[in-house]
């Protein structure tokens, strides 16, 4: 499998996990009037999940440097 | 309380700073040293997503619904995971085809149709109205709060009178600001570096301001978040916010909001502008994909603490939660901090308004007004760059006026967030056309138009019209009983669907008809050539990347240059052509005709200024001849045959490879076999040499040690030693002979010889041997000479070898050997037959190999060196003949060799 495809599949999987974890019914498990470590459980769950998700995006996207494919602008205002 | 002039002065100074930054960035980019070309500025510019809605509205929403503010930021976080391939593809498309806006993107994708461009523009303008009014409301409210707090009555009063209403002045100020920012001159590029730098700065300011408010409220007014949250479960008002069920619409609404914000981060016109159009390098997406969610997290971390602090400080509920973030520091007398927070809110609002109005004005100009102008009027010969600027400035004012009117007449009855969500639902209408358009070639123009139009109408009917009704501009019973009393058409319960909140209800119906129509009509639609070309160019953008030339007709270079000059100004146009001639090594003074590539270059340049659809119209006006070259079309559309061709080539290559691999494997096996044979040969030769040497040595030692040995015995031992050394010599000679023949270094004396004579000589040479063993030899040779072209000595060597073998294996006394020469199958054959023990079938092939001796069936002891027959075979094969044996145990053997006649 090419590294690009592998990366895309990992990102899609991450996206799917995120969607599941942030919606009913998993979310409903934390919708309780409980305080954990001084913070309401629901808030704690959402923020921790948020941080983890960002970390995972960073790991997947930054992990392997693929060949640069940037497309230079056809015409830019700077005089060449 | 700060005096009004201080607040005004600080606001104006802040806007002045923004200008300075924008000018500086433009100045730098003119000199080729862009300040915005890094992923961090790119991330900050995307943060224009966080508007006054985030700054003031999030706290308001948190105070009402707990975590109800979060999906607006969780959606973009989820979407950011997909940026790396979705956004990058959109950026690549936009860069290659010089897309100027989301309307341009969709128009380009669906056959450069100006109808789509116009439709998208109208949806964007109408849809964004509530959003702009939200910003106006926030700025005007925060200004009033700064001025009159804690006199809440004055704040209320301010809203009612038109003359005290500062929202209008805010709107006009912002219009002037945007005009100065985005439309100073028509650029040859669709990007605005100065604007991006300014909004990146604004993103820093709003984050710092909000964090400052959060830190002050959480850690100075209260003892940290734990202290604040400690209060929460004690009152029913606040403790209910710990659960998600407090959100109107519950989990369904939560899901809808996540979906809407996922679409909004990509397809709101201003987000499209900063994400796609203003992107400098698509590699920046990699970092932005996690830095931007991090920004969202940072700006939201204090929302809940501020909301609870506000509820605890103002339990009487007279202070609207939307202004908690300002009211709390003001209550504590922190005027300077409040001023900074107010600036943060101002930056959040101005950032959004600047980008949104610039994006919208580009769309209105390129996709709505220009196509009409180009069609209706014969303005072909006028300098249009001023007209373009004028149109854009007018549209900025118009967009802000619309926003103001919406705020003035409708906005009062809504909170900030509800107004923003109406806009989000409008932007979501673009998502099916774009997402299907980028990945699915069969999505057709008619399908996209139908989907967009239907989705927009449903949105209009189920969200926008009800907001008019709720503000009293339409009769109330329109909501309660439907139009003309038709219950089935109630806008909030269309067709009796009453299980959703208004937003979810509207999103469900509008996206259903939008995506449904897009997919189903595409299934039955036939696309014309232009549509199919554009579809292919978009979906396969990584394969085409702008090297396919479609234009075929001829155009004069001067005409092209003139056309460009009218739209982007003579200097810009001149510079573009000079750059082009430099990079392509074309001397324009010699070439009068523009080639396909240059025409395409001009069209793309023009697209950057006036959009794809209009650019196409303008370019066709100066190009004579057929619009599209059949070769170009074939190249793009015939990707199916291309792929077939490609896979065919691949298949051939792999077959070739397979064959080569097989050959190599076989060669390898042969090499290994040869290597093994060589080892075997060496070990056999040394073994064969050792046997006679050992016996010679043994007998010499006996002679040496027994000096008193009898003469007779001594003679016997010496005889054996002589025989053994002879055998040794023979063996060495044969080995050398064989090696010579095998390596091709042997000398051959080829001549015409008489084979019968050769046979006679060989028989004569071996007659002594036959006599000794009493074996009869019978010659059956022709009486006439049989001439062959051969090496005489070598052939004699072969025959002698065969004869001596026959003599050795024939039984003494009764033995009988026959030598025969005859003709068969156009060959001359020589046969040496004996009546010996015969050779087993398994051994018949082996005996011609080196050191494969015939085991004597009588006493099991091998005779000879084992090289004789191997040498025979080499000699006969050198003469293009064959040598073989025909035999069966007990029936004697026939050794036959043949030579070509």
């Amino acid at each position: 499998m090419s590294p690009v495809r592998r990366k895309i599949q990992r990102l899609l999987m991450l996206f799917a996990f995120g969607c599941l974890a942030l919606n009913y019914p998993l979310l409903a498990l934390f919708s309780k009037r409980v305080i954990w470590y001084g913070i309401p459980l629901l808030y704690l769950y959402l923020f921790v999940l948020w941080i983890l998700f960002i970390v995972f995006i960073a790991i997947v996207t930054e992990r392997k440097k693929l060949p640069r494919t940037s497309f230079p602008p056809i015409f830019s205002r700077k005089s060449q | 309380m700060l005096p009004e002039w201080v607040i005004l002065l600080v606001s104006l100074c802040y806007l002045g700073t923004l200008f300075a930054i924008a000018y500086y960035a433009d100045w730098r980019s003119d000199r080729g040293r862009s300040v915005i070309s890094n992923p961090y500025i790119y991330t900050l510019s995307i943060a224009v997503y966080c508007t006054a809605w985030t700054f003031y509205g999030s706290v308001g929403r948190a105070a009402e619904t707990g975590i109800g503010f979060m999906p607006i930021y969780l959606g973009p976080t989820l979407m950011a995971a997909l940026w790396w391939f979705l956004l990058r593809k959109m950026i690549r498309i936009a860069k290659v085809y010089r897309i100027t806006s989301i309307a341009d993107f969709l128009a380009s994708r669906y056959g450069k149709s100006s109808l789509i461009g116009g439709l998208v523009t109208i949806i964007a303008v109408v849809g964004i109205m509530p959003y702009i009014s939200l910003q106006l409301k926030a700025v005007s409210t925060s200004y009033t709060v700064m001025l009159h707090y804690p006199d809440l009555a004055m704040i209320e009063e301010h809203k009612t009178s038109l003359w005290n209403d500062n929202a209008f002045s805010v709107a006009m100020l912002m219009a002037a600001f945007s005009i100065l920012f985005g439309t100073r001159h028509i650029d040859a590029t669709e990007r605005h570096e100065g604007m991006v730098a300014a909004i990146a700065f604004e993103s820093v300011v709003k984050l710092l301001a909000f964090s400052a408010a959060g830190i002050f409220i959480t850690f100075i007014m209260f003892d940290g978040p734990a202290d604040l949250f400690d209060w929460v479960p004690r009152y029913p008002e606040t403790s209910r916010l710990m659960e998600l069920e407090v959100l109107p619409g519950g989990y369904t609404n939560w899901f809808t909001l996540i979906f809407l914000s996922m679409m909004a981060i990509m397809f709101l016109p201003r987000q499209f502008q900063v994400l796609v159009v203003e992107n400098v390098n698509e590699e920046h997406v990699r970092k932005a994909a996690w830095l931007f969610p991090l920004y969202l997290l940072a700006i939201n971390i204090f929302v809940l603490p501020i909301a609870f602090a506000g509820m605890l400080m103002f339990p009487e509920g007279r202070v609207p939660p939307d202004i908690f973030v300002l009211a709390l520091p003001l209550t504590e007398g922190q005027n300077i901090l409040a001023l900074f927070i107010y600036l943060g809110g101002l930056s959040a609002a101005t950032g959004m308004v600047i980008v949104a109005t610039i994006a919208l004005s580009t769309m209105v100009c390129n996709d709505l007004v220009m196509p009409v102008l180009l069609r209706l009027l014969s303005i072909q010969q006028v300098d249009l760059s001023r007209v373009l600027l004028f149109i854009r400035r007018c549209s900025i004012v118009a967009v802000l006026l619309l926003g103001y009117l919406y705020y003035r007449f409708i906005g009062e009855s809504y909170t900030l967030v509800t107004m923003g969500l109406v806009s989000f639902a409008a932007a979501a209408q673009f998502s099916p056309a774009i997402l299907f358009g980028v990945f699915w070639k069969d999505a057709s123009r008619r399908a996209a138009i139908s989907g967009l139009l239907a989705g927009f109408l449903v949105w209009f009917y189920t969200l926008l019209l009800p907001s008019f009704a709720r503000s009293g501009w339409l009769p109330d019973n329109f909501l309660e009983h439907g139009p003309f009393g038709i219950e089935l058409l109630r806008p909030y319960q269309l067709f009796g669907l009453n299980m959703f909140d208004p937003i979810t209800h509207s999103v469900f119906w509008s996206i259903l008809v939008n995506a449904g129509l897009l997919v189903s009509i595409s299934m039955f639609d036939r696309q014309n050539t232009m549509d199919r070309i554009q579809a292919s160019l978009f979906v396969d953008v990584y394969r085409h990347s702008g090297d396919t030339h479609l234009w075929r007709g001829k155009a004069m270079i001067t005409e092209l240059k003139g056309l460009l000059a009218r739209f982007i100004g003579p200097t810009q146009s001149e510079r573009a052509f000079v750059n082009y001639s430099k990079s392509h090594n074309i001397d324009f003074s010699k070439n009068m005709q523009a080639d396909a590539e240059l025409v395409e270059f001009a069209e793309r340049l023009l697209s950057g200024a006036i959009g794809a659809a209009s650019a196409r119209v303008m370019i066709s006006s100066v190009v004579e001849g057929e619009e599209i070259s059949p070769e170009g079309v074939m190249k793009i559309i015939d990707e199916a045959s291309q792929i077939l061709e490609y896979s065919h080539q691949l298949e051939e290559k792999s077959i070739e490879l397979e064959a080569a691999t097989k050959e190599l494997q076989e060669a390898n096996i042969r090499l290994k076999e040869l290597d093994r044979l060589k080892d075997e040969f060496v070990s056999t030769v040394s073994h064969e040499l050792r046997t006679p040497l050992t016996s010679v040595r043994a007998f010499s030692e006996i002679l040496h040690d027994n000096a008193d040995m009898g003469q007779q015995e001594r003679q016997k031992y010496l005889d054996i030693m002589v025989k053994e050394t002879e055998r040794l010599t023979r063996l060495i000679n044969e080995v050398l002979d064989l090696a010579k023949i095998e390596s091709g270094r042997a000398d051959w004396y080829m001549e015409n010889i008489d084979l019968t004579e050769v046979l006679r000589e060989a028989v004569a040479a071996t007659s002594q041997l036959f006599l000794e063993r009493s074996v009869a030899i019978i010659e059956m040779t022709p009486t006439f000479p049989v001439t062959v072209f051969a090496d005489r000595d070598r052939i004699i060597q072969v025959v002698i070898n065969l004869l001596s073998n026959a003599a050795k294996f024939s039984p003494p006394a009764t033995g009988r050997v026959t030598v025969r020469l005859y003709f068969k199958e156009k060959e001359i054959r020589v046969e040496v037959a004996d009546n010996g023990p015969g050779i087993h079938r398994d051994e018949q092939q082996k005996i011609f190999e080196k050191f494969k001796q015939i085991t004597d069936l009588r006493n099991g002891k091998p005779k000879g060196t084992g090289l004789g027959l191997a040498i025979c075979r080499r000699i006969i094969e050198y003469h293009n003949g064959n040598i073989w044996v025909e035999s069966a145990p007990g029936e004697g053997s026939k050794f036959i060799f043949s030579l070509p006649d």
Side-chain angles (χ1 to χ4, degrees), chain A residues 22 28 31 43 62 69 77, chain B residues 30 92 241 244-245 254 575:
Chain A
L22 286 177
S31 178
Y43 307 166
E62 299 279 349
T69 50
R77 280 188 16 214
Chain B
D30 279 340
R92 173 61 71 94
L241 298 180
L244 198 139
E245 282 73 12
W254 173 269
R575 205 192 290 175

Side-chain angles (χ1 to χ4, degrees), chain B residues 215-237:
Chain B
I215 289 167
F216 173 78
I217 292 165
T218 316
F219 292 100
I220 296 175
M221 287 178 65
F222 291 82
D223 281 339
D227 174 37
L228 258 170
F229 288 130
D230 191 38
W231 293 92
V232 173
R234 299 188 193 175
Y235 305 101
E237 255 318 282

